[in-house]
Structure formats: structure tokens, C-alpha cells
Amino acid sequence: MSSNDGWEADRLREDLVVRGFTDDGVRLRGPVLWCPPAHAEVLARVEIKVDERFPFHPPQVRLLDPGALVEVTFHVDRSARRGVSGNLCLWDDIWPADRAPWTEADELLSRIAGWLELTAAGWPGDSVCDLERYLEPDPTTFVLYNAEQLAGLEGHAVHIRAGSTTGTKEIGETPHRLKRRSGRPGFRRADRQLAWVENLGQIHRPVRRWCDIHEVLGERATPVERLVAAGVVNLVLLRYQRGNQQSVLALTVKYTTAGIEVQACESADTSSYTRQMRAGATAALLADVPIAIVGCGAIGSLTADLLYRAGARRLTLIDHERLRPGNVVRHLAGLEQVGAWKSVAVRNCLSTIDPAVDAVQAMPTAISSPDQAIRLLEDHRIVVDATGSARATSMLAFAANTTGADAGKAVFTVCSQRDGDVVRVDRLPARSAETYLPPLPGRDKPNELREQGCGSAVSRTSPIAVAGAAGLACRVVLDELSEASMLPDSVAFVGHPQPEEPFTHVGLVTPKCASRNAVGK
């Protein structure tokens, strides 16, 4: 702790003492004035501990006496010791230390008073779903379930599958029919290691032990308890709702002489909706747009990856080459797919992000004729040319200028130049009155890199520049589909200044930059 941090803590302690708190050097105890519903103001007593994390972390606050009849429910940590109240959860948001409200005594006490008033009112409008925090944790188990299917499993046992990582358990998607062993007590061996699914409905207080769950479920709890006692069920999934939010509490359960012990597991939803929540605002826009990516090498593979993550599902991947070990350092695919066609390898990678790849086509072929290029553009709204091949690019340009303008289709060529110092994307055909950036001449490379068994020279473009090119291509595609047309037909990013105008400065370059430079001369 810096000397300034210590001064902040000392100042807070002194300010609290002025406001009636006692200080034993470790903890401060004192009054907080608050107003219960339909009552006059009362004095609560709290205990405040300012530890070494202050001011980067708020002080720990425990409620000693609320001063009125209040049921403490939500937003309080699980106590480390039985019979001792947990710390109040006063701030869900994180503040920088220099502006943190808990550094001021009045702000801190006002927050405590507000917490008491919300607790007394039953936390109206609160929809935080965090039942795990009120229970003992099971840190070794991570549970995966499909939320879209859980409703149909309520009141049933389901199989548990081992996940792909240690400690991960996947909940089955169909009910399991329990059968007792004929002529003998107990259940079959197949009726072991099962999960049970139930619904708590709208909850108004946390569950802290099995008896709380029994109280909510009522008679529905009895069959579950019998199965736990028989060793059949060792995992329970409880759907519940707070306010307008729904969630799932996953519990490992164990029968003991003292009753059923429960521990909360970290859990996650595997449904398509959840997997798309972080895809961005353009996911719906991209979902049904047919997009072809020609060239599934370094730039093409990462472009496909970004578009798929952003919501594109109707992708056609075209490349006639196989993945080589030397490609992997810049490619989406890893060594485990060496030898596969690059287009197939990319599709395999996309399936690990979202298995719904039915509309993703992998074509191990090349664009070999103008007619083929025209048909490709006719079948797709957008074609991304990431081949780095002048021949393929010229055929796609021919197709774009032949059919693209009238049909609302576009080809985007994306490339890396000068070993990745400049990455560039051009739209074909050009919109009316649009101009392109000037070409950047190639340079002689007397010491070209050569890979054994490969006839072509190896580009020195770094993985970082490749990722930048893919990102720029995706931004241009999204701009096209949104019809915003904020980006021009030609755009480049300069990572290292070049001697030729307008590529002399680091940053984004557009035809407007070229025009300004020309006027300046």
C-alpha cells in the first residue's frame, strides 16, 4: 500500500469516528440512520473493516443490528462462519480508486442506508440472478446445459456426460426413464450419475441449504430426495426467475446422516441464443446474407472466422490448396488439420465456434474462368477476394463490372502489401464518382523466403498484419450490408510509413487523404 493509500484509509476512519463510530484499530462500529417503509427513521448498527485492498476495493461492511424488523435476503455475501452475518454487497459496479464513492464517509453511510431500505422493501425491480453466491461452492465441477430444452425436462432425471475438459459435465437433452432392478431393491447400474431438473419459479429469497429448496418445491421435493438418498441423482438443476430474468442454479447433492448437503457449481448455457449474445449488433443483419470467401489462406481464414463470429452463417469457402505446416502460424487452423483442404479446415474450425455449419460450404477448387466468377457473384451478395492472385482478382473484377453494379452485388479484394506494412481493401465495382487509392508498386526481393516443397515464395507478412487485414475487410463488408456507405470504395491501413503518397503516415488512408495530399503539393 502506498503512503497515499494509507492516508485515504486514515481519513475515512477519522471521518467515521466523527460520525459516532468506535475504532479498535481493526474494525469500526457505529450507527447508520435509515428509514424503513411506512416508519420513522431508525438507527442500525454496522461494522466496517478497512483492509489492505482499500481504496481499490470497498470496505467490508457487516450488519450488526438493523434497528427494525428486517429479513436480510439478497445482496449479502455468504458468511465464512455459521452464525455470523456476511458482508453487504453494496456496489455491483467497479470504480477507479481516485473516484470510488466508498472513500467518502457520507457516501458510504448513504449507500448502507439505501441497502437497508431496499432490503426492507424486498428489493423491488431487482433481477440479479446470482443464487450461487449464497451457497458453499463446488470449485471442481462446471456444468453445461441447454436452456432452451430444460423446460421440457422438468420433473425428470437426465444423463450426465463427461465434457471435453476436466471437471466439465454436460446435461443430456432427453428424459431418462428410471427402472428398478427386478426382484431386488435399488436401481440398475445405468440409473446412476443422473441429474434432476426442477423449477423454483419466481424466488423472493436466496436458498442457502436443501431445506430452503424443499420448502419451495413442496411435495415435488420428495421424489428428488429419495433418488439422492439412493445414490441415483448427484446433480440437481433448478430453473428460477428474479424479476424478468431467468437463470439456472446447478447443485451437486450428497446424502448424509444430517440430510442432503448441497454445493453450487459454476454453470453455463450452451443454447444458440447464448452463443450469439456477444456476436454484436450486426448478427441479425449477417445471418441470411450469402457471402463467398475466395482464398482461405491466412487473411481469408481469419476473415471467415470474424464474419462467422459476427453472425454470418451462409458462407461459401473456396480454396484449391491444402493446409501446410508452415501455414499454421498465420492461419485459423492448427497443426491437427495439416493436409486438409484449406476450405475444409476453415469450416471445421467454424464448427467449433457454433456447430450450426449446415449452410457453410467448403469447396476445394479455384476460380479458373470468368464464367465461374460470374456465377459465383450471381449466387452471393458479397464475394471477398483474399487470394492474393492477380489472375483470380482480375476474373472477379470482370464479374463485378459485368453484373455487380446492376444486381447490387460487390466484390471486395483484400491484400497485404510491403510485407504487411500496408493492408488494403477495394470494392468492385466502384460506386459512381468514387475513386481508388493509387497502386503501391511492389519491390524487388532478392532474398525471398522459400519453403521446401513449395514453388511459391513465402510472404513475410506477420500474423498481426494478417489479422489487421481481415478486420479491415470485415468492417468494409459490414459497412456495405448496413447500407451506411460510411467507408469509401478504397481504404488502407498503414502500419509503417512508406515513401509514396498517400501512404506516408501511420493510420487509415482513404482517397480523400490522397486528394488532400495532391492539393497540398
Side-chain angles (χ1 to χ4, degrees):
M1 179 183 293
S2 69
S3 57
N4 185 60
D5 296 339
W7 178 83
E8 288 280 356
D10 291 342
R11 181 174 64 84
L12 177 63
R13 302 181 82 96
E14 292 171 1
D15 289 347
L16 288 172
V17 169
V18 170
R19 287 158 178 77
F21 279 71
T22 60
D23 186 357
D24 63 6
V26 178
R27 296 174 178 82
L28 298 105
R29 295 181 176 88
V32 174
L33 189 67
W34 70 286
C35 187
H39 286 79
E41 290 183 327
V42 299
L43 280 177
R45 283 189 58 78
V46 299
E47 177 184 276
I48 299 175
K49 182 180 179 182
V50 184
D51 61 21
E52 68 279 358
R53 297 174 296 173
F54 186 85
F56 304 100
H57 191 277
Q60 298 177 39
V61 180
R62 287 199 310 116
L63 183 63
L64 301 177
D65 179 7
L69 187 61
V70 174
E71 181 187 7
V72 176
T73 54
F74 298 104
H75 298 287
V76 59
D77 285 333
R78 178 179 54 83
S79 174
R81 303 193 312 275
R82 187 178 295 275
V84 177
S85 63
N87 295 317
L88 312 188
C89 302
L90 299 173
W91 282 276
D92 290 331
D93 46 353
I94 299 174
W95 292 75
D98 59 337
R99 292 190 289 110
W102 52 76
T103 60
E104 300 294 331
D106 288 337
E107 286 272 4
L108 176 59
L109 297 180
S110 175
R111 192 75 172 193
I112 297 170
W115 183 95
L116 285 162
E117 289 164 7
L118 287 170
T119 296
W123 290 97
D126 186 58
S127 58
V128 177
C129 295
D130 58 353
L131 288 189
E132 295 83 0
R133 76 184 304 162
Y134 306 101
L135 294 158
E136 289 282 347
D138 177 356
T140 64
T141 304
F142 184 57
V143 178
L144 298 177
Y145 59 87
N146 188 320
E148 295 172 355
Q149 297 172 340
L150 278 188
L153 299 174
E154 289 175 10
H156 293 282
V158 292
H159 274 295
I160 304 170
R161 300 188 299 266
S164 57
T165 55
T166 302
T168 301
K169 297 183 178 181
E170 298 181 3
I171 303 302
E173 298 174 354
T174 56
H176 174 73
R177 186 176 179 182
L178 292 165
K179 291 184 179 179
R180 289 187 175 272
R181 293 182 295 185
S182 60
R184 290 183 295 172
F187 293 86
R188 303 171 303 165
R189 185 179 296 274
D191 296 332
R192 302 280 172 171
Q193 301 293 310
L194 300 178
W196 189 272
V197 182
E198 276 291 354
N199 191 350
L200 296 180
Q202 186 78 237
I203 63 167
H204 303 286
R205 57 184 57 81
V207 293
R208 292 185 169 87
R209 55 192 67 84
W210 181 261
C211 62
D212 296 332
I213 298 170
H214 182 105
E215 180 181 347
V216 175
L217 293 179
E219 293 182 356
R220 302 197 328 268
T222 302
V224 186
E225 292 169 347
R226 290 172 180 167
L227 293 172
V228 174
V232 172
V233 166
N234 57 18
L235 190 65
V236 173
L237 269 70
L238 300 170
R239 299 176 67 234
Y240 69 95
Q241 185 167 341
R242 282 207 69 207
N244 58 359
Q245 295 294 320
Q246 294 184 345
S247 191
V248 173
L249 175 64
L251 303 172
T252 51
V253 291
K254 180 181 179 182
Y255 184 78
T256 69
T257 55
I260 296 177
E261 292 183 355
V262 299
Q263 288 184 311
C265 312
E266 186 177 353
S267 63
D269 176 24
T270 64
S271 69
S272 177
Y273 171 76
T274 295
R275 292 199 306 272
Q276 286 294 302
M277 287 178 68
R278 297 167 178 81
T282 58
L285 179 67
L286 282 168
D288 295 320
V289 178
I291 301 173
I293 298 175
V294 186
C296 294
I299 294 176
S301 69
L302 296 187
T303 301
D305 178 53
L306 290 175
L307 288 175
Y308 192 74
R309 291 176 187 272
R313 287 298 179 269
R314 296 178 60 188
L315 295 176
T316 301
L317 310 172
I318 301 174
D319 199 301
H320 67 289
E321 295 182 342
R322 293 184 184 273
L323 186 71
R324 303 172 65 87
N327 297 140
V328 169
V329 71
R330 294 187 309 207
H331 202 273
L332 176 65
L335 287 172
E336 72 282 356
Q337 297 203 65
V338 164
W341 299 108
K342 288 181 179 178
S343 57
V344 174
V346 172
R347 187 180 188 274
N348 291 340
C349 290
L350 299 185
S351 70
T352 66
I353 301 165
D354 188 336
V357 291
D358 295 343
V360 178
Q361 300 182 62
M363 302 175 60
T365 185
I367 300 298
S368 56
S369 71
D371 287 343
Q372 187 181 4
I374 289 174
R375 287 195 300 272
L376 185 68
L377 194 56
E378 287 175 345
D379 293 340
H380 296 84
R381 168 68 175 84
I382 285 175
V383 175
V384 178
D385 169 27
T387 61
S389 165
R391 179 179 298 167
T393 299
S394 62
M395 285 188 284
L396 290 169
F398 171 79
N401 291 319
T402 301
T403 64
D406 296 333
K409 308 294 184 75
V411 172
F412 291 99
T413 65
V414 53
C415 65
S416 161
Q417 298 178 300
R418 302 279 174 87
D419 295 332
D421 287 346
V422 178
V423 295
R424 174 172 175 162
V425 181
D426 293 293
R427 183 190 191 278
L428 305 170
R431 302 183 186 96
S432 59
E434 283 274 14
T435 58
Y436 289 107
L437 289 167
L440 192 58
R443 290 177 173 174
D444 293 334
K445 298 180 179 179
N447 298 317
E448 286 186 330
L449 293 176
R450 293 283 176 176
E451 178 186 342
Q452 296 183 37
C454 181
S456 302
V458 175
S459 165
R460 297 175 184 265
T461 300
S462 72
I464 296 172
V466 166
L472 185 60
C474 291
R475 288 184 180 277
V476 172
V477 168
L478 290 173
D479 181 70
E480 171 80 11
L481 293 178
S482 67
E483 300 181 352
S485 298
M486 299 293 291
L487 295 174
D489 283 348
S490 188
V491 60
F493 183 84
V494 178
H496 190 275
Q498 304 297 303
E500 297 91 348
E501 294 284 358
F503 308 100
T504 55
H505 295 87
V506 172
L508 200 66
V509 179
T510 66
K512 289 184 178 180
C513 301
S515 300
R516 286 198 300 268
N517 291 346
V519 171
K521 288 183 176 180

